[in-house]
Amino acid sequence: MASKLIAPSILAADFANLQRDIEMINNSDADWFHIDIMDGVFVPNISFGMPVLRDIAKHATKTIDVHLMIIDPDRYIKTFADLGSNILTVHYEACTHLHRTLQAIKDEGMKAGVAINPHTSVNALEDIIHDIDLVCVMSVNPGFGGQSFIENTYKKVERLKEIITLNNANTLIEIDGGVTSKNAEKLVEAGADVLVAGSFVFKSDNPVNTISKLKEIVNT
Ligand code: DX5
Ligand code: ZN
């Protein structure tokens, strides 16, 4: 079985020491950088934008997984490709023509992801599953780090895994929000491939160790 991945969320990093935190991830067992872009419209918060991503990409030596929590993401697909994104995830709820958006992301040479809010059914993705490289299942309402994990997520992940398997698709399942060492194992059992972790990593005493422990939990 392919190894399960850990993607620390930069949202919980110390932005006054961003290079230090990026190098910590470079030198850890983490697999990806998870980068949250919020526009203050799709979600009730504003995170950071292009200049910050550009500088993160300068130092990061691992896959850059960008999670766009913005309306009308089509406007910025090329920009995010040019900034160094490897995976670009848009919200199902923000895309009127999701199929077209996913093709546009792939045309720019990136992997295409779709994020779904807690209220969105995974069944809505059935007819488009072959076009999605990654589904980001939101296990909190998007917009903020440090929120509690929504328990209904396990059920959604199981059903999504079923859809992927039945359709012979290669889509990865990513979980985003409230991930800790307490729910990591159960999430992987349900079918998750990638776990995003923000606060649990950055607010811990030893983030490098925390990442290693998570990585071990999901791969044993
Ligand atoms: C929430 C973001 C998450 C967030 C996760 O809207 O999409 O990526 O950083 O943070 P934690 O792990 O603290 O819930
Ligand atoms: Zn995210």
Side-chain angles (χ1 to χ4, degrees), residues 3-84:
S3 78
K4 305 293 177 183
L5 311 179
I6 301 298
S9 171
I10 294 302
L11 190 63
D14 176 352
F15 285 89
N17 287 289
L18 199 47
Q19 188 177 348
R20 180 199 68 190
D21 285 358
I22 291 164
E23 271 156 16
M24 180 279 287
I25 294 177
N26 284 341
N27 296 320
S28 76
D29 287 334
D31 299 280
W32 296 355
F33 283 83
H34 184 83
I35 314 283
D36 291 301
I37 308 282
M38 305 177 186
D39 66 355
V41 179
F42 181 70
V43 287
N45 197 9
I46 298 173
S47 55
F48 51 82
M50 284 74 174
V52 176
L53 175 56
R54 182 197 59 212
D55 291 347
I56 291 172
K58 238 188 267 173
H59 299 286
T61 57
K62 299 179 177 181
T63 296
I64 298 187
D65 169 36
V66 176
H67 176 193
L68 295 183
M69 283 160 272
I70 67 173
I71 58 161
D72 204 2
D74 301 71
R75 290 173 296 167
Y76 298 112
I77 291 171
K78 186 172 183 328
T79 306
F80 279 103
D82 293 344
L83 287 167

Side-chain angles (χ1 to χ4, degrees), residues 4-171:
K4 305 293 177 183
L5 311 179
I6 301 298
S9 171
I10 294 302
L11 190 63
D14 176 352
F15 285 89
N17 287 289
L18 199 47
Q19 188 177 348
R20 180 199 68 190
D21 285 358
I22 291 164
E23 271 156 16
M24 180 279 287
I25 294 177
N26 284 341
N27 296 320
S28 76
D29 287 334
D31 299 280
W32 296 355
F33 283 83
H34 184 83
I35 314 283
D36 291 301
I37 308 282
M38 305 177 186
D39 66 355
V41 179
F42 181 70
V43 287
N45 197 9
I46 298 173
S47 55
F48 51 82
M50 284 74 174
V52 176
L53 175 56
R54 182 197 59 212
D55 291 347
I56 291 172
K58 238 188 267 173
H59 299 286
T61 57
K62 299 179 177 181
T63 296
I64 298 187
D65 169 36
V66 176
H67 176 193
L68 295 183
M69 283 160 272
I70 67 173
I71 58 161
D72 204 2
D74 301 71
R75 290 173 296 167
Y76 298 112
I77 291 171
K78 186 172 183 328
T79 306
F80 279 103
D82 293 344
L83 287 167
S85 315
N86 302 113
I87 305 167
L88 193 64
T89 295
V90 294
H91 262 266
Y92 173 84
E93 302 82 5
C95 295
T96 312
H97 301 287
L98 184 59
H99 185 272
R100 180 183 290 150
T101 303
L102 296 178
Q103 302 317 317
I105 293 172
K106 291 179 189 175
D107 286 349
E108 291 296 336
M110 298 176 285
K111 298 269 186 208
V114 176
I116 52 169
N117 280 341
H119 73 272
T120 301
S121 168
V122 293
N123 295 325
L125 303 178
E126 198 161 3
D127 288 332
I128 199 170
I129 199 73
H130 282 288
D131 299 288
I132 308 177
D133 294 308
L134 171 138
V135 175
C136 176
V137 179
M138 291 307 303
S139 37
V140 297
N141 285 296
F144 303 91
Q147 304 180 83
S148 334
F149 180 83
I150 297 172
E151 295 288 320
N152 186 53
T153 307
Y154 301 117
K155 211 171 76 190
K156 290 180 76 165
V157 175
E158 278 168 16
R159 172 66 189 134
L160 178 58
K161 185 71 188 174
E162 204 173 87
I163 292 171
I164 292 168
T165 310
L166 288 175
N167 286 280
N168 260 324
N170 294 318
T171 317

